[in-house]
Amino acid sequence: MLRILAIIGRLLADVLLALGLLWSLGLLVYQPLCIIPVAALAAVAVWLWRSGKARTVRGWLWGCFLVCASAYLLLPNPRGPWQTPWARLAHCELDGTILTIHDLRDFRYTTENDYETRYTTQTYDLSTLVGADFAECRWDGHEAICHTMMSFAFADGRRIVFSVETRVPEGEEQTGLGGLYKRYGLAYVIGTEEDIFALRTNYRHEDLYIYPLDITPQQALKALLAMLDFAEDANVNGSHYNTVTGNCSAPYIAMLHRAVPNLPKRSILLPVYNSAIAEVFYNYGFLRHRENESLPDLRERAKVGYDIPLQNYSQNLRQRLEK
């Protein structure tokens, strides 16, 4: 029995090693500077092998992976210059209950790639915060992958949207593989629904789903303050996008625990599985739904469709939810 377990353990270790070496190969492609420490390790390995001091090939392959992983950890976060949609990020000031957002994004689009860059400064009284919505955006029939956003509503009808996005440098094209190797930054875009939601419903014609959250204004406030903290930390200290561990959905579980501190502190899902965020919110009772309404039924009702009139956009969008 012990021998079988040892064989299984060795096989699992070899699979992990193979995956690690495959990732390391990608690192050398997407971050060529990492070739330098790997080449130095290879030179040492050849010298030790020729001198008879080397132990096993497997050991040196593990060494190669560990050097690549160390080189990756030492890479600095990307610093731009950034493509236009992420060139300027909002910064916020909080004075008591008064929140001032500078450089709130409010683009106006003719097509997906033809737009007027607009930024505004807006002031909000947090004591008038009335609720929040969670949003999913899907495209090309994807079920396991989606983009996620949060929209916070105030009593005067205004809304602000948080959209955690890949911050792509000029001259770069976003790819899933590139997102594994610190090629992109992580941007907390704060903007209007007429910009962030309308881009998806009216110009990209992606499938947008809006889920009103069944939380109190006090919980919504804690969630908003958490998102502001995350955005400020990313702006001040810098952050990088990672396809698996640092994607658009990474903040939402932490935000949920800030809003409802007594939730169980257990691992709920892998951050990469962002399509499961709505399921987590539903299972905890935070998605407003009808009696005995399943999540698939709620998702069908939450789909808002395309080409929503821009005048009174937020109101028109939510009228689609009242069907």
Side-chain angles (χ1 to χ4, degrees), residues 22-200:
L22 187 62
W23 175 86
S24 300
L25 180 62
L27 179 68
L28 301 182
V29 172
Y30 284 97
Q31 295 287 358
L33 284 177
C34 292
I35 292 176
I36 297 173
V38 175
L41 176 70
V44 172
V46 170
W47 177 79
L48 289 173
W49 192 270
R50 295 187 64 180
S51 66
K53 297 180 180 180
R55 295 285 183 178
T56 64
V57 173
R58 183 181 283 105
W60 287 111
L61 290 176
W62 273 110
C64 183
F65 165 68
L66 291 175
V67 167
C68 286
S70 299
Y72 169 82
L73 292 174
L74 293 173
L75 286 171
N77 290 323
R79 297 188 180 276
W82 309 107
Q83 294 181 16
T84 301
W86 309 283
R88 291 168 60 181
L89 297 182
H91 59 284
C92 305
E93 297 175 353
L94 186 59
D95 183 8
T97 65
I98 303 302
L99 171 67
T100 301
I101 303 180
H102 303 278
D103 289 333
L104 181 80
R105 209 181 82 177
D106 190 31
F107 286 12
R108 289 297 179 269
Y109 299 85
T110 304
T111 67
E112 176 183 351
N113 298 309
D114 182 15
Y115 46 82
E116 175 190 0
T117 58
R118 303 190 348 174
Y119 296 91
T120 67
T121 295
Q122 298 288 331
T123 299
Y124 304 87
D125 185 348
L126 296 184
S127 68
T128 67
L129 183 68
V130 294
D133 296 342
F134 175 72
E136 290 180 326
C137 183
R138 300 170 183 271
W139 58 93
D140 296 336
H142 288 302
E143 290 297 327
I145 299 175
C146 66
H147 182 63
T148 52
M149 297 160 284
M150 288 287 298
S151 176
F152 293 89
F154 293 83
D156 61 4
R158 291 184 298 166
R159 292 176 175 267
I160 54 175
V161 181
F162 286 79
S163 178
V164 186
E165 301 182 5
T166 312
R167 198 177 193 187
V168 184
E170 290 182 357
E172 287 272 358
E173 182 178 351
Q174 182 183 356
T175 66
L177 283 176
L180 294 172
Y181 300 106
K182 288 189 180 179
R183 296 292 296 184
Y184 319 121
L186 189 68
Y188 281 76
V189 178
I190 308 177
T192 64
E193 292 192 344
E194 289 82 358
D195 174 345
I196 295 175
F197 284 177
L199 169 62
R200 291 162 170 84

Side-chain angles (χ1 to χ4, degrees), residues 259-270:
V260 189
N262 60 343
L263 284 179
K265 298 290 185 180
R266 63 173 181 268
S267 176
I268 302 176
L269 76 164
L270 291 174

